Amino acid sequence: MKTRIWNLESEIWNSGKPLHHLKVVICILITILLFPGISHAITATEILEQVDDLWRGESSFAEMTMDVVTENYERSMKLKAWSLGKEHSLFIITFPPKDRGVATLKAEEDIWNYLPRVNRVIRVPTSMMMANWMGSHFTNDDLVKESRMSEDYDSEVTFEGLRDGQDIYEITLVPKPDAPVVWGRIEITVIQENLIPTRSLYYDEDGVLSRTMLFDDIKTLGGRLVPATMVLVPEDKPEEKTVITYDSLELGLGLKPEFFSRSTLTRKDLVR
């Protein structure tokens, strides 16, 4: 293939036509089209930006099921979720009846919970971002994505190649000095072809594995290829897990920042 390219370039170059600059442009275009990897090597940050926004886009609406399994109980919840960029998100529980209407809102720097049983809106302090959300293994930070891997961590591709029959990137992340995060290191595995994650490993500040996130059931939702299932397993209790399944996803809804307000938290029509 390379020999054919070089021969074609030589023929163009030696054709005697006076358009020298056109010859150069044609040669460059041929090389880029047939060897796209030469033109740009993707960076770890670019991969993480894709992963950070995989399920969100410019704006989104999703319906999800969250199944929680612990040594003491099992429970299932239905959720509705809206997002606008990286600064606004809203989650409302629609099932079971006893939790119906419980909601979590992120509006820029502020995060609020609404408890319909007592009709109270409570601000979530920064110290509670790593607390478990509604008895699951996901944290408040996981839910509203207060931190972003592409912004809060220094990252590099530490493995690129074939593993388990699949071409992947493995990216290692370490927190930036002033980043408001708790993980000492994250290792994420991404499929090269479509930049879809398959696994994330979370280590504490002592370098001990704390939890594993698995991504599965890749399908088209909202016109985009995404993992429809996320499984979070704590390392100290491997028999426990929380599974989030995307039942539906819509992107590009044209939502406005005004939608993500404290008054929206109490809207009963959104729970239906």
Side-chain angles (χ1 to χ4, degrees):
M1 178 64 75
K2 289 184 179 180
T3 301
R4 290 175 58 192
I5 294 173
W6 309 145
N7 288 343
L8 181 56
E9 290 177 351
S10 179
E11 290 175 12
I12 295 173
W13 195 265
N14 296 318
S15 63
K17 294 181 180 180
L19 300 178
H20 175 77
H21 67 284
L22 181 59
K23 298 174 184 177
V24 176
V25 171
I26 292 174
C27 290
I28 292 173
L29 287 175
I30 290 174
T31 303
I32 290 175
L33 288 173
L34 295 181
F35 297 96
I38 295 176
S39 63
H40 174 67
I42 193 166
T43 67
T45 299
E46 289 171 331
I47 295 172
L48 294 176
E49 287 175 347
Q50 168 92 2
V51 174
D52 274 332
D53 295 323
L54 190 58
W55 295 266
R56 298 169 72 97
E58 181 272 330
S59 62
S60 70
F61 169 71
E63 293 182 286
M64 299 175 283
T65 301
M66 176 181 283
D67 295 305
V68 183
V69 178
T70 74
E71 61 182 355
N72 298 317
Y73 61 86
E74 295 185 17
R75 63 182 307 203
S76 182
M77 292 177 281
K78 295 285 188 179
L79 309 172
K80 289 183 177 181
W82 294 260
S83 74
L84 175 62
K86 63 183 182 180
E87 300 297 339
H88 300 83
S89 57
L90 171 65
F91 292 81
I92 297 179
I93 297 176
T94 60
F95 179 88
K98 69 182 183 66
D99 296 320
R100 185 179 175 90
V102 172
T104 297
L105 168 72
K106 177 187 177 185
E108 297 183 344
E109 301 300 322
D110 295 322
I111 299 172
W112 306 85
N113 283 336
Y114 173 59
L115 306 177
R117 282 191 173 186
V118 293
N119 195 29
R120 288 190 60 191
V121 176
I122 303 171
R123 190 176 187 277
V124 180
T126 303
S127 60
M128 292 296 293
M129 289 309 297
M130 297 308 295
N132 291 346
W133 187 80
M134 294 299 294
S136 73
H137 299 93
F138 283 84
T139 66
N140 288 309
D141 184 75
D142 291 324
L143 198 70
V144 300
K145 299 186 184 298
E146 174 71 4
S147 63
R148 289 174 60 82
M149 295 184 294
S150 58
E151 296 177 358
D152 295 325
Y153 293 84
D154 291 319
S155 59
E156 64 174 325
V157 177
T158 48
F159 177 83
E160 177 180 351
L162 190 65
R163 180 182 292 167
D164 299 328
Q166 198 166 44
D167 287 318
I168 59 101
Y169 296 113
E170 185 176 85
I171 304 170
T172 298
L173 302 85
V174 293
K176 294 180 179 179
D178 299 325
V181 297
V182 300
W183 305 117
R185 184 172 88 251
I186 300 175
E187 295 175 1
I188 182 169
T189 301
V190 178
I191 301 171
Q192 285 191 25
E193 180 181 6
N194 46 31
L195 302 185
I196 288 179
T198 60
R199 185 183 71 174
S200 292
L201 304 176
Y202 296 83
Y203 297 84
D204 64 21
E205 295 180 343
D206 296 321
V208 177
L209 181 62
S210 179
R211 64 181 195 172
T212 298
M213 180 95 77
L214 301 174
F215 303 87
D216 198 8
D217 191 21
I218 298 173
K219 63 174 64 174
T220 300
L221 291 173
R224 177 182 297 179
L225 203 62
V226 298
T229 301
M230 295 178 287
V231 183
L232 186 57
V233 180
E235 188 65 19
D236 60 343
K237 296 181 179 180
E239 73 283 356
E240 297 189 359
K241 63 181 178 180
T242 295
V243 182
I244 288 182
T245 303
Y246 276 76
D247 302 312
S248 66
L249 176 65
E250 299 176 48
L251 300 171
L253 303 180
L255 296 174
K256 302 298 183 182
E258 294 75 23
F259 174 78
F260 300 88
S261 64
R262 290 177 58 183
S263 61
T264 306
L265 276 172
T266 61
R267 282 177 51 179
K268 290 182 173 53
D269 61 307
L270 296 180
V271 184
R272 299 192 186 99

